[in-house]
Amino acid sequence: MRKKIYQQGKIYMCESTKEDIEHIYPFMRQVDKIECECMGFKPKQALEVAMDVDTVTYTVFDPYDVPFCMFGTGPMPEGYGYIWMLGTDAVFDNKYDFIKGSKFVVNTLIEPYTRVTNFVHKDNTTAIKWLKWCGAEMGRELIFSDHPFYEFTITYKEKE
């Protein structure tokens, strides 16, 4: 068993491995697949590329040690960072623990950058609600591959 980086209730996260990709991409949420394809990547390729360029990439596991989402962060040339997450429908099966730990994990990941940004499909209402819960502010609307996206930004919050 790999070293757990963080645990919230019955779920936990570890540093990602290439093997995690094989457990996630075939079962990726449809809207996450659409987001990947709008950015020019197949789902498996999106996870592989992210792992290659991220500063950190983590995988979240359910109580049965099955990976159900991956996320990561890295620097951008402008001096701030990016953040992303792609997952399976098991995010919903583990939503209580997932949501409960999200603010802490996201805030910790973005600390080195002070501010992170990315894009979310306008129809991905669940992700938009979760991003707002994590402190995201939705910005301008953009079009990628004829699909509407919002740009979002999350700013690091000092721990109280």
Side-chain angles (χ1 to χ4, degrees), residues 93-142:
D93 299 336
N94 297 282
K95 68 182 175 186
Y96 177 79
D97 289 332
F98 183 80
I99 291 169
K100 191 167 183 180
S102 292
K103 280 186 183 178
F104 171 78
V105 170
V106 168
N107 200 51
T108 301
L109 287 175
I110 68 174
E111 185 175 7
Y113 310 106
T114 308
R115 178 172 62 124
V116 293
T117 189
N118 209 327
F119 307 96
V120 61
H121 197 286
K122 189 175 179 179
D123 295 338
N124 196 346
T125 56
T126 302
I128 292 168
K129 286 178 191 174
W130 175 75
L131 285 164
K132 287 180 177 179
W133 164 256
C134 292
E137 293 180 22
M138 296 298 136
R140 61 192 170 144
E141 187 176 320
L142 301 159

Side-chain angles (χ1 to χ4, degrees), residues 30 32-43 46 145 149:
Q30 187 61 35
D32 285 354
K33 289 179 184 179
I34 291 168
E35 287 183 356
C36 292
E37 290 166 4
C38 287
M39 299 300 173
F41 298 101
K42 298 284 185 202
S145 301
F149 281 76

